[in-house]
């Protein structure tokens, strides 16, 4: 049967859009290519030690680091070359759950937003009312495994930083640090699935179909009439129709929404021609005269990030999180199972800090630091070191960077970066080296603190200059369908009547922090604008 709104993808963008549209009484279909994740949504995959406790891998925050070490990682999208979550909740179901209330700069005209978007507080407040943040995720309110936060605070104090509760003053992002804030709820993964999806799913006018892959939208010129899926039980040829005034919202994420556009004849002609040459996808393209030429995939950014590994005698490296799946510390597992308290009630991140840097081009760039006990195995030093005392500081550059890349597809329809977006502007790299140096040169002020990666024969400049490109990214892709370039200020794709995009891809520049909070506020504002736009169902 036809729907007023078909939303493609159940990540944060799609979940908020689907919830608000169904709340407004529209007949909504949410299509998700992946399956369930948390216990509450029907997921079952969990560690043996949590058997019988109604908890999955995705529920237990302390299992975050095991997303990257599991032998059967079915949650990653298998046709996207970088990490992306393909299950209910999208990235928010597999990510570290760091959650920042957006500052005004995240929606400022200086970061590429139309002036109609700058008053974000109404929408940010709606998001906060549905999904609160916490910087003490354990149900007993205590903080655990905080040694790396304490050591780093001492390192930052000598550089003129001050301690804040980060989400209490979102606009303070220069020389500040504070405990990591999360969208965890009662010691478990919360996010938009435990909140927005829950309310949407309770409404009779809302339908959720999982394990359903959307191939393209079906259109006649500017008018979208439905979406084509891989599930022929949903309609002839797998096509789900729209009501006459119906609309489609793409929320498949920064790499997959562009692919759906290319497969629908929207984007640069080199990408649509790849689709045309594909035996399966080619025949579904509209005739060439109806192709819509837009810069889909251009203007992409993602935070460049550099890991620094340290040792300090006060640190408990928590075995680099290597034991939490098979063999957690018994007391920690018992405490978590009993009351969702303790170390495993939080993910690995402990402290975050920000600082603004002026560049030689007159522009300001914001650096973020993120601190956690342990280190990824590929960053462990080869030289002798005290393995039980290791912790990592990751230095990211965010708002203000000028480097950009391009996202596209290859001949096997895999979505991938065609041009990686890190350090395409050398000034970004100069600032990164400066920011890393500021951390490294101050360690002598903290007795016992030792930098082990890079080692003491490598300069910071060499370390950054020779950094493996594959490790430089942060999974925070934005901008591939930037507002003003691909979508208009109502998030409608230019030159279409009824096709919208609501996900990270419409965000024109990197937010100041990890992006999910900004994405959720963006979705709240987008769906309000879509509902207010004349001509809809
Ligand atoms: N962001 C934060 O704010 N804090 C973090 O701690 C954080 N950590 C990570 C992280 O550790 C990893 C490993 C990754 C991958 C991302 C992290 N992020 C973090 C970024 C954040 O999760 C993403 O920016 C955010 O989830 C993006 O939200 P979107 O709504 O734009 O897109 P998603 O990729 O989340 O969701 C898209 C959904 O569409 C998925 O469920 C996917 O299965 C579905 N989909 C894709 N193609 C489809 C198709 N053709 N048909 C149907 N469904 C499709």
């Amino acid at each position: 049967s036809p729907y007023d709104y078909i939303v493609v993808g159940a990540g944060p963008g799609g979940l908020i859009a689907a919830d608000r549209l169904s709340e407004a009484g529209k007949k909504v279909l949410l299509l998700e290519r992946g399956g369930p994740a948390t216990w509450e949504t029907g997921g079952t995959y969990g560690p043996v030690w949590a058997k019988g406790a109604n908890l999955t891998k995705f529920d237990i925050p302390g299992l975050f680091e095991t997303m990257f070490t599991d032998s059967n990682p079915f949650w990653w999208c298998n046709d996207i070359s970088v990490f992306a979550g393909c299950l209910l909740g999208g990235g928010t179901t597999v990510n570290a759950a760091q959650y920042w209330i957006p500052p005004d700069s995240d929606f400022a005209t200086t970061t590429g937003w139309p002036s109609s978007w700058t008053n974000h507080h109404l929408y940010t407040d709606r998001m906060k009312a549905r999904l609160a943040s916490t910087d003490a995720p354990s149900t007993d309110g205590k903080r655990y495994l905080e040694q790396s936060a304490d050591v780093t605070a001492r390192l930052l104090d000598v550089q003129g930083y001050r301690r804040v509760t980060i989400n209490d003053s979102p606009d303070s992002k220069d020389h500040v640090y504070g405990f990591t804030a999360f969208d965890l709820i009662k010691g478990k993964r919360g996010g938009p699935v435990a909140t927005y999806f829950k309310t949407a799913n309770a409404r009779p006018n809302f339908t959720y179909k999982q394990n359903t892959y959307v191939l393209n939208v079906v259109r006649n010129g500017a008018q979208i009439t439905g979406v084509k899926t891989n599930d022929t039980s949903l309609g002839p040829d797998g096509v789900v129709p729209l009501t006459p005034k119906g609309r489609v919202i793409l929320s498949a994420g920064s790499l997959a929404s562009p692919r759906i556009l290319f497969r629908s004849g929207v984007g640069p002609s080199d990408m649509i021609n790849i689709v045309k040459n594909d035996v399966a996808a080619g025949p579904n393209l509209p005739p060439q005269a109806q192709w819509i030429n837009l810069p889909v995939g251009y203007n992409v950014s993602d935070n460049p990030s550099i890991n620094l590994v340290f040792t300090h005698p006060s640190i408990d490296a928590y075995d680099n999180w290597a034991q939490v799946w098979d063999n957690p510390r018994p007391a920690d597992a018992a405490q978590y199972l009993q009351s969702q308290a303790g170390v495993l009630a939080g993910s690995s991140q402990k402290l975050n800090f920000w600082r603004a840097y002026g560049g030689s081009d007159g522009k300001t760039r914001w650096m973020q630091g993120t601190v956690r006990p342990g280190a990824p195995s590929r960053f462990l030093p080869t030289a002798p070191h005290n393995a039980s005392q290791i912790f990592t500081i990751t230095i990211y550059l965010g708002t203000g960077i000028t480097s950009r890349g391009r996202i596209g597809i290859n001949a096997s329809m895999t979505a991938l970066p065609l041009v990686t977006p890190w350090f395409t502007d050398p000034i970004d790299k100069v600032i990164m080296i400066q920011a890393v140096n500021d951390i490294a040169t101050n360690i002598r002020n903290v007795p016992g603190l030792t930098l082990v990666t890079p080692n003491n024969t490598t300069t910071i400049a060499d370390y950054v200059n020779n950094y493996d490109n594959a490790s430089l990214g942060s999974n925070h892709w934005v901008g591939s369908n930037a507002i003003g370039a691909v979508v208009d200020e109502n998030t409608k794709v230019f030159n279409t009547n009824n096709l919208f995009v609501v996900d990270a891809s419409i965000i024109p520049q990197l937010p100041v922090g990890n992006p999910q909070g900004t994405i959720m506020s963006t979705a709240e504002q987008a769906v309000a604008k879509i509902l207010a736009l004349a001509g809809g169902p």
Side-chain angles (χ1 to χ4, degrees):
S1 65
Y3 290 88
D4 294 332
Y5 282 92
I6 301 174
V7 180
V8 179
L15 289 172
I16 290 175
D19 182 51
R20 294 300 186 190
L21 293 168
S22 60
E23 180 185 50
K26 312 299 176 190
K27 189 177 170 196
V28 177
L29 174 66
L30 175 60
L31 295 172
E32 165 56 44
R33 64 182 279 188
T38 54
W39 184 270
E40 195 179 48
T41 62
T44 54
Y45 181 62
V48 170
W49 62 263
K51 211 172 158 53
N54 298 357
L55 294 163
T56 71
K57 181 185 191 79
F58 310 100
D59 288 290
I60 305 172
L63 294 177
F64 165 67
E65 297 286 345
T66 74
M67 298 293 173
F68 307 96
T69 53
D70 197 299
S71 57
N72 175 32
F74 61 87
W75 47 93
W76 301 126
C77 309
N78 57 11
D79 56 9
I80 295 180
S81 76
V82 295
F83 285 125
C86 267
L87 69 188
L88 175 55
T92 65
T93 292
V94 296
N95 71 20
Q98 296 173 90
Y99 178 47
W100 311 119
I101 305 305
D104 291 345
S105 63
D106 279 6
F107 293 100
T109 53
T110 47
T111 48
W113 289 94
S115 53
S116 55
W117 276 73
T118 56
N119 188 9
H120 70 100
H121 288 275
L122 174 62
Y123 310 100
T124 297
D125 287 348
R126 285 182 190 171
M127 171 188 85
K128 285 162 64 179
R130 294 297 306 275
L131 183 53
S133 78
T134 175
D135 63 8
S138 173
T139 54
D140 59 8
K142 294 184 191 155
R143 295 197 178 85
Y144 291 83
L145 206 68
E146 296 294 336
Q147 305 90 346
S148 60
D150 296 342
V151 172
T152 306
R154 283 152 66 191
L155 179 62
L156 297 172
D157 284 338
V158 298
Q159 297 173 67
Y161 283 70
R162 67 195 163 88
R163 183 183 283 277
V164 295
T165 300
I166 295 165
N167 280 339
D168 285 354
S169 49
D171 292 303
S172 304
K173 287 292 185 298
D174 188 16
H175 285 90
V176 295
Y177 67 85
F179 291 117
T180 305
F182 302 97
D183 61 348
L184 302 171
I185 300 174
K186 293 186 179 153
K188 295 197 285 185
R189 189 174 296 274
V193 173
T195 50
Y196 291 94
F197 178 69
K198 200 170 180 171
T199 47
N201 210 25
R203 295 191 187 103
N205 54 325
F206 171 85
T207 305
Y208 176 60
K209 291 262 185 249
Q210 54 191 358
N211 302 312
T212 304
Y213 195 104
V214 171
L215 299 162
N216 55 272
V217 302
V218 182
R219 68 181 175 90
N220 183 6
Q223 188 68 23
I224 316 304
T225 57
V227 303
K228 185 173 167 66
T229 72
N230 66 346
D231 183 351
T232 49
S233 76
L234 295 179
D237 285 332
V239 172
V240 189
L242 285 175
T243 55
K245 290 179 168 180
R247 292 165 167 169
V248 170
I249 298 181
L250 300 182
S251 301
S254 286
L255 284 102
S257 282
R259 174 169 49 198
I260 295 171
L261 288 171
F262 303 148
R263 296 183 69 146
S264 309
V266 180
S269 57
D270 59 348
M271 292 296 110
I272 306 178
N273 275 313
I274 292 175
V275 177
K276 190 180 168 189
N277 292 328
D278 184 83
V279 278
N284 296 320
L285 275 177
Q288 187 147 0
Q290 292 188 13
W291 292 6
I292 298 171
N293 182 18
L294 290 171
V296 175
Y298 287 93
N299 185 55
V300 165
S301 45
D302 173 44
N303 310 83
S305 65
I306 297 282
N307 280 326
L308 303 172
V309 182
F310 301 84
T311 58
H312 187 271
S314 70
I315 299 289
D316 174 356
Y318 215 63
D319 312 303
N320 293 317
W321 303 86
Q323 306 298 322
V324 289
W325 180 261
D326 284 321
N327 190 21
R329 294 184 190 179
D332 291 348
Q335 185 184 15
Y336 186 76
L337 290 176
Q338 202 204 345
S339 56
Q340 283 80 64
V343 174
L344 299 171
S347 35
S348 48
Q349 291 72 15
K350 299 298 168 192
L351 187 99
N352 301 81
F353 55 93
W354 278 268
R355 178 169 170 177
Y357 281 94
S360 59
D361 55 2
K363 295 181 173 140
T364 303
R365 291 161 175 81
W366 275 261
M367 174 273 279
Q368 178 188 342
T370 298
V371 182
R372 64 186 188 282
S377 52
R378 65 184 184 283
F379 288 98
L380 292 174
T382 44
H385 61 278
N386 194 330
S388 62
Q389 299 180 351
I390 279 209
F391 74 101
T392 304
I393 300 180
T394 307
I395 303 291
Y396 307 80
L397 293 185
T399 299
I401 63 166
T402 39
S403 296
R404 294 292 184 274
R406 183 185 177 194
I407 276 168
I409 52 173
N410 64 19
S412 25
M413 295 288 131
T414 292
L416 76 173
L418 300 174
V419 178
T420 58
W422 315 292
F423 300 145
T424 59
D425 181 344
I427 300 178
D428 287 344
K429 190 183 269 189
V430 169
I431 300 294
M432 176 63 93
I433 291 169
Q434 189 181 344
V436 173
N437 254 321
D438 283 337
I439 296 298
T441 57
N442 279 291
I443 62 174
R444 70 178 84 89
N445 294 310
V446 181
L449 182 59
T450 309
L451 181 63
V452 292
T453 304
N455 63 26
N456 59 12
T457 64
T458 308
T459 66
I460 295 297
D462 282 350
Y463 185 60
V464 173
N465 281 321
N466 298 325
Y467 209 78
D468 176 15
N469 211 43
S471 298
L472 211 45
S474 304
N475 309 306
H476 295 162
W477 305 88
V478 299
S480 51
N481 294 310
I483 197 161
V486 174
V487 299
D488 69 14
E489 60 186 321
N490 294 306
T491 75
K492 184 164 70 69
V493 176
F494 284 114
N495 300 319
T496 71
N497 298 335
N498 55 341
L499 179 59
F500 297 79
V501 184
V502 179
D503 60 21
S505 70
I506 66 173
I507 296 177
Q509 261 203 49
L510 283 171
V512 81
N514 315 54
Q516 64 176 358
T518 308
I519 296 167
M520 292 185 232
S521 175
T522 298
E524 283 280 13
Q525 183 160 186
V527 71
K529 287 178 160 49
I530 292 168
L531 278 166
L533 186 65

